[in-house]
Amino acid sequence: MTATHAIDVHSPLDGQLVGWLPAASETETTTAVAAARKAQTAWAATSAAERGAAVRAAAADLRARAGDLATVVETETGRPYASAREGVLAGASTLEQYAELGPVHRGRSLLGSAVDFMIPEPRGVVVALTPWNDPVAVACGLLGAALVTGNTVVHKPSERCPHTGMLLDTVLRPHFPANVLQTLIGDGTTGAQLVREDVDVVAHVGSTATGRAIAQASRAKLLLENGGNDPLLVDADVDPDRAAEQAALGAFTNAGQLCTSVERIYVHEEVAAAFIDALCARAKEWTANAQPLVDNRHREFVHAQVAEALEAGARALTGGEIPAGPGAHYPATVLTGCTPDMRIMREETFGPVAPVCVVPSFDEGLREACSGEYGLAATVLTRSMEHAQKAWRALPVGTVKVNAVFGGAPGGAAQPRGASGTGFGYGPELLDEMTTVKVVHLGLP
């Protein structure tokens, strides 16, 4: 294989070299897209039932290899084995879901002087650019929906977990005809070239900056789940201990490296003292069992936001300092005295940081929660149905969660807004995104 350079991965646990893989060259990237284009016609002509069966078989093999993939995820990203395995199994479940939904994905018919058929057809070649923080589950959502609807896929996993991407490819690819699913290893240069190629869909889960660059460079249909600055609003009538538990879960799970992590907290002054005390206690528990951030570069980014906030007058009640020793660890951090102008309240941190702003009323907290350019998700903790209704109607985000920071119905979808992206991710709606509709007017002879 001819490659332009190597992709190196170092362990976030101790900084040691995990391994390296060659990056795809420009020629290999162009060739992969051309091969996907050539293979797409026959794959689209394959019956939906056969495509679903292939995805189902791939899901079965993924379940069988869940432990192997979890080990590689932990090695490359620092995500603990048990949590990584849950992510792999979630990916298998998503493939199984699309194996069932794909064959029954249908259009509409209208009866008039002629019969109108609305037929969903695959869009063509899909480029999937997937992240490192939940690499298997996210990839399986995009790959499953694209493949079961008759598209071919060129997948580029994050350069922070290329071995995970290659092992996933080894498990899934044998269940599909040649070039229906391909995986390319590379960094942002490879991703940028893929976006500029003649493809029909670009599906990207990652940073807002990259999403904006994709939008400028590509003429394809775009599915973008990008950064978020998700607020948590704590009402005066909630139990502060439970609220702190939810806040810690939302801010510190996976070291805060989730798209829908809690990024900023607005707590009513009547429960603020008890809530903050409980949150600090929870943060210390999370720190005692903390996983590292994905690498030192990301840790520097997270700490820079914390340091800026401290310089601007915030207080770190726990955490806020880079620990000694190897690896990319960072403590669960609780900041108080945060103000709206601080970067940590305006931008995505993507780390185990819980910045808290005390507000005098629910309405003031809601006003602050509605601010900013992002529109991924938000959480409201309240016992008031009036406040819950007011919040979900006002919050300019794709997903509003009431009284739980995580969770949702099986098969649920999400549609980000603003700087957080565009298009549905997951659920039956993603099948609609991966297809285009042809209308047939069938008249009598």
Side-chain angles (χ1 to χ4, degrees):
M1 175 183 287
T2 302
T4 54
H5 60 285
I7 303 297
D8 296 333
V9 180
H10 292 80
S11 168
L13 295 168
D14 57 17
Q16 295 298 309
L17 179 67
V18 171
W20 65 274
L21 288 171
S25 68
E26 291 185 14
T27 299
E28 288 167 332
T29 301
T30 299
T31 299
V33 172
R37 178 69 66 192
K38 185 176 180 180
Q40 198 272 326
T41 301
W43 181 239
T46 303
S47 72
E50 289 182 69
R51 296 196 300 259
V55 173
R56 187 178 300 107
D61 267 7
L62 183 59
R63 284 194 179 278
R65 299 290 300 276
D68 296 338
L69 272 154
T71 297
V72 179
V73 171
E74 181 179 34
T75 301
E76 291 194 302
T77 72
R79 187 167 187 166
Y81 175 87
S83 177
R85 189 171 185 274
E86 288 178 4
V88 176
L89 294 176
S93 294
T94 300
L95 291 177
E96 291 163 351
Q97 182 183 99
Y98 285 129
E100 296 297 321
L101 291 175
V104 297
H105 185 234
R106 66 192 72 177
R108 295 188 295 122
S109 62
L110 300 173
L111 182 61
S113 57
V115 177
D116 283 6
F117 295 99
M118 300 179 71
I119 311 298
E121 295 183 331
R123 289 185 178 272
V125 177
V126 175
V127 165
L129 308 173
T130 59
W132 50 265
N133 60 316
D134 199 0
V136 177
V138 173
C140 285
L142 297 176
L143 302 186
L147 292 168
V148 80
T149 48
N151 301 281
T152 53
V153 180
V154 180
H155 174 214
K156 191 197 84 66
S158 168
E159 59 270 28
R160 281 169 158 150
C161 57
H163 298 88
T164 300
M166 287 307 299
L167 181 54
L168 181 63
D169 179 80
T170 299
V171 173
L172 301 185
R173 181 168 40 83
H175 296 281
F176 304 95
N179 299 320
V180 166
L181 172 61
Q182 300 172 80
T183 298
L184 295 180
I185 298 303
D187 53 19
T189 301
T190 306
Q193 182 186 349
L194 280 170
V195 167
R196 294 192 301 268
E197 293 283 344
D198 179 24
V199 299
D200 302 289
V201 178
V202 174
H204 169 256
V205 179
S207 73
T208 293
T210 301
R212 285 172 172 160
I214 290 171
Q216 291 179 347
S218 178
R219 295 174 296 175
K221 161 81 172 178
L222 300 182
L223 301 176
L224 305 175
E225 184 183 308
N226 296 154
N229 188 25
D230 294 3
L232 170 66
L233 180 56
V234 181
D235 206 353
D237 59 0
V238 302
D239 173 27
D241 288 330
R242 182 182 181 280
E245 179 182 13
Q246 286 292 301
L249 183 67
F252 306 141
T253 293
N254 201 35
Q257 300 169 127
L258 293 175
C259 297
T260 54
S261 290
V262 168
E263 293 275 340
R264 50 192 171 121
I265 300 170
Y266 303 97
V267 57
H268 196 290
E269 62 184 8
E270 291 184 16
V271 293
F275 168 81
I276 291 170
D277 286 345
L279 180 57
C280 288
R282 296 282 182 179
K284 292 173 183 177
E285 294 173 0
W286 279 87
T287 296
N289 301 289
Q291 70 182 76
L293 296 176
V294 67
D295 56 27
N296 285 326
R297 176 164 58 92
H298 184 53
R299 182 172 69 172
E300 291 171 3
F301 170 80
V302 171
H303 184 63
Q305 287 201 9
V306 172
E308 282 184 23
L310 295 177
E311 291 177 4
R315 294 176 57 216
L317 300 187
T318 184
E321 296 181 349
I322 295 178
H329 294 85
Y330 198 79
T333 298
V334 177
L335 301 178
T336 58
C338 297
T339 57
D341 58 310
M342 293 178 180
R343 185 159 67 108
I344 206 158
M345 298 295 280
R346 294 184 289 105
E347 298 181 10
E348 184 176 49
T349 306
F350 219 63
V353 182
V356 180
C357 177
V358 178
V359 292
S361 66
F362 179 83
D363 286 347
E364 176 64 16
L366 180 58
R367 186 182 70 80
E368 291 292 347
C370 289
S371 65
E373 63 176 344
Y374 295 96
L376 195 57
T379 304
V380 182
L381 304 180
T382 182
R383 298 177 64 184
S384 166
M385 181 60 72
E386 177 186 353
H387 284 178
Q389 293 271 359
K390 188 174 186 178
W392 74 253
R393 293 174 188 277
L395 286 160
V397 299
T399 302
V400 178
K401 298 166 283 187
V402 179
N403 292 329
V405 292
F406 295 134
Q415 188 180 39
R417 300 181 183 183
S420 292
T422 184
F424 278 100
Y426 313 107
E429 290 81 2
L430 184 52
L431 299 176
D432 296 331
E433 300 281 16
M434 294 292 184
T435 54
T436 187
V437 173
K438 176 180 288 182
V439 177
V440 179
H441 302 291
L442 185 61
L444 295 175

